[in-house]
């Protein structure tokens, strides 16, 4: 209980995307593995609390330098390193998957592959939805995930340049065996529907039990979380 303003309760979901293990005419947008020269500058558990600064970098013979941006990577900065994990249909799907941090990819034979966050290029996250609102390109009362996706896909070149404003770029790994039973949270802990909670590690130690009472919520079962 606190005397501050009300908090914001949101939900987590795993997108399910169609994809392939090899590049095809339909599936030509790669999801990348973590590069070998990527290094953490802060502990992953504190990444969210320090998101206004570089959290990862690239190891070189002369020291650690900023990693390639989203624009750099989409223009070939990782080419030739065999980092392509899977391929999906378009860059907008990849962008949303990277924001979410994990998801399922359905291969052409029907197999579902669960992938999860495995590091990022370290650049701060920039909200492109906020950018479109602030620049008058989308009205605030019309903004939604669907509206943003439609806007980005309506003009691929225009959408690409806006997505490049978010320099952050996420890398993935494939989950196999028991670890693929569900989506992962911090410290590779499986998320439990209706129970797992994202917290700001700048205020709450990871693993601290937290009780949430939200009697007016309509998207969770009565009784709270």
């Amino acid at each position: 209980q606190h005397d501050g303003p009300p908090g914001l309760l949101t939900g987590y979901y795993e997108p399910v995307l169609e994809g392939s293990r090899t590049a095809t005419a339909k599936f030509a947008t790669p999801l990348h593995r973590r590069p070998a020269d990527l290094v953490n500058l802060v502990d992953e558990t504190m990444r969210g609390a320090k998101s206004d600064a570089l959290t990862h970098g690239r190891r070189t013979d002369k020291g650690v330098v900023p990693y390639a941006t989203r624009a750099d990577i989409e223009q070939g900065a990782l080419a030739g390193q065999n980092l392509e994990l899977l391929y999906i249909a378009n860059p907008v799907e990849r962008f949303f998957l990277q924001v979410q941090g994990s998801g399922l990819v359905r291969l052409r034979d029907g197999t579902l592959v669960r992938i999860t966050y495995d590091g990022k290029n370290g650049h701060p996250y920039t909200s492109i939805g906020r950018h479109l609102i602030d620049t008058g390109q989308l009205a605030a009362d019309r903004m939604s995930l669907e509206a943003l996706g439609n806007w980005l896909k309506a003009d691929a070149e225009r959408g690409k340049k806006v997505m490049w404003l978010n320099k952050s770029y996420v890398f993935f790994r494939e989950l196999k065996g028991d670890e693929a039973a569900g989506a992962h949270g911090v410290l590779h802990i499986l998320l439990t529907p209706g129970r797992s909670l994202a917290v700001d590690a700048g205020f709450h130690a990871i693993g601290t039990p937290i009780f949430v009472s939200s009697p007016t919520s309509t998207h969770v079962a009565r009784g709270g979380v």
Side-chain angles (χ1 to χ4, degrees):
Q1 188 173 2
H2 64 87
D3 298 324
L8 175 66
L9 184 65
T10 64
Y12 177 86
Y13 78 100
E14 281 187 290
V16 181
L17 306 175
E18 303 298 318
S20 170
R21 290 197 182 276
T22 57
T24 68
K26 180 178 180 180
F27 303 118
T29 299
L31 303 176
H32 289 103
R33 298 179 179 88
R34 181 184 177 113
D37 58 359
L38 182 71
V39 294
N40 286 50
L41 302 180
V42 301
D43 189 274
E44 285 288 357
T45 60
M46 296 301 295
R47 175 169 51 88
K50 300 182 181 295
S51 59
D52 58 343
L54 287 177
T55 59
H56 300 69
R58 184 169 70 88
R59 182 179 59 249
T60 72
D61 293 340
K62 297 181 180 180
V64 176
V65 299
Y67 216 88
T69 65
R70 174 179 297 276
D72 295 331
I73 292 171
E74 292 192 5
Q75 293 178 96
L78 300 180
Q81 298 185 46
N82 194 32
L83 294 175
E84 294 80 10
L85 177 64
L86 295 165
Y87 293 86
I88 57 176
N90 63 72
V92 177
E93 289 185 348
R94 176 174 62 191
F95 186 92
F96 287 149
L97 179 65
Q98 290 177 323
V99 172
Q100 200 62 20
S102 67
L104 294 162
V105 178
R106 181 182 289 111
L107 303 180
R108 288 175 289 179
D109 63 0
T111 301
L112 280 175
V113 177
R114 176 169 271 121
I115 57 175
T116 193
Y117 169 91
D118 196 26
K120 56 175 288 188
N121 63 350
H123 293 278
Y125 173 82
T126 298
S127 171
I128 62 171
R130 173 50 57 187
H131 166 79
L132 294 180
I133 292 172
D134 290 345
T135 55
Q137 299 182 74
L138 267 179
D141 60 359
R142 294 179 54 202
M143 178 57 71
S144 67
L145 191 65
E146 182 179 11
L148 177 57
N150 289 339
W151 190 95
L152 293 171
K153 291 177 182 178
D155 183 327
E157 189 65 22
R158 177 188 68 175
K160 177 178 68 176
K161 291 180 179 178
V162 168
M163 287 188 288
W164 283 357
L165 296 176
N166 178 25
K167 296 180 179 180
S168 176
Y169 192 93
V170 168
F171 304 107
F172 297 97
R173 70 182 179 93
E174 180 179 344
L175 296 175
K176 298 180 180 180
D178 292 342
E179 68 172 0
H184 285 210
V186 70
L187 302 177
H188 308 300
I189 299 172
L190 288 178
L191 299 180
T192 303
R195 292 293 178 267
S196 296
L197 184 71
V199 300
D200 185 338
F203 295 91
H204 304 285
I206 299 298
T208 302
I210 296 177
F211 176 77
V212 176
S213 177
S214 184
T216 60
S217 291
T218 59
H219 61 291
V220 295
R222 185 163 296 280
V225 177

